[in-house]
Amino acid sequence: MATTPKNGTEMAMIDCAMIVVTTEEETPRSVAITSATKLGVEPQIETTEAVKLMIKGVLKAQKPERKTITGHTLTLTDNMTILELIEILQGGTLTKDEDGTITGYTPPVTGSEYKPVKFTLDAYCSQLDEGGNVLQYEKTTYPGCSGQPVALSSEDNVFRVHEYTINSAPSKGEAPYTLSYVEALPTVGTDVGA
């Protein structure tokens, strides 16, 4: 008996509405990024080659190749410098005055072992209707993330654009990402440590 096809659930998704990075430390830090212009996602796949039994040029049997997903490489493109994010991605220390205003940043010292902080990255994308209204937000959560060192390039008459490279490697038994749908973006405060 033939199965009658049904329409799939169609959603019009647009924008990198918000990125939230939350560390997996004893006292977690959480940074919201609303200036991001793009989040590129590339699955990381390990391939086990096929095994073929060939006798005198004739294929007798084969074991097909196998592919295993090991995580994702995320590339976050942002047009603002967010030092709290850089501190999470590559380590180092932010210095602040008594009002909490950043007065400087020192990266890890040359020759030291690179020990990235583990974090979860939540990416929010807007679903729109025919009238341009936001119906809901798609939240994609990437577990087991760690950053790579960040370069601070500059050019005359050009605003700096950062490309942050993030590796997401989930733990054993954990999905490489999860999707959920929420009615509103998270409320953003001013204290990164909260």
Side-chain angles (χ1 to χ4, degrees):
M1 181 168 119
T3 302
T4 303
K6 297 178 181 178
N7 284 333
T9 302
E10 297 175 341
M11 295 186 230
M13 307 306 295
I14 192 168
D15 295 334
C16 187
M18 182 183 285
I19 302 288
V20 177
V21 169
T22 305
T23 64
E24 298 174 7
E25 301 169 296
E26 189 173 317
T27 304
R29 294 174 282 165
S30 190
V31 178
I33 302 145
T34 56
S35 55
T37 56
K38 181 178 178 183
L39 178 65
V41 181
E42 182 182 341
Q44 297 302 299
I45 298 173
E46 291 294 323
T47 301
T48 303
E49 298 294 327
V51 179
K52 298 178 183 181
L53 176 61
M54 300 287 291
I55 300 176
K56 296 183 179 181
V58 177
L59 178 64
K60 297 293 186 175
Q62 68 177 319
K63 182 177 181 181
E65 73 176 16
R66 290 179 296 161
K67 296 187 179 198
T68 305
I69 186 163
T70 59
H72 289 88
T73 297
L74 311 174
T75 304
L76 177 63
T77 305
D78 192 13
N79 51 9
M80 298 296 282
T81 300
I82 303 171
L83 290 173
E84 294 90 348
L85 176 63
I86 292 173
E87 182 185 36
I88 290 171
L89 294 180
Q90 72 178 16
T93 306
L94 283 176
T95 54
K96 299 180 181 182
D97 64 17
E98 58 277 353
D99 296 328
T101 302
I102 294 173
T103 58
Y105 168 72
T106 304
V109 299
T110 301
S112 64
E113 183 182 354
Y114 177 60
K115 296 179 183 177
V117 173
K118 287 283 191 180
F119 59 90
T120 299
L121 185 142
D122 294 320
Y124 293 86
C125 186
S126 307
Q127 180 187 358
L128 301 183
D129 67 9
E130 297 86 342
N133 302 303
V134 175
L135 297 175
Q136 63 183 351
Y137 294 93
E138 180 182 77
K139 174 184 174 186
T140 308
T141 300
Y142 296 95
C145 292
S146 60
Q148 295 186 12
V150 177
L152 300 175
S153 302
S154 297
E155 182 180 346
D156 282 350
N157 297 315
V158 176
F159 286 105
R160 181 183 291 161
V161 175
H162 293 281
E163 244 187 35
Y164 303 111
T165 302
I166 298 165
N167 296 317
S168 172
S171 299
K172 181 178 180 179
E174 192 172 28
Y177 67 90
T178 57
L179 286 179
S180 57
Y181 294 90
V182 296
E183 292 183 4
L185 294 172
T187 302
V188 178
T190 55
D191 184 9
V192 173

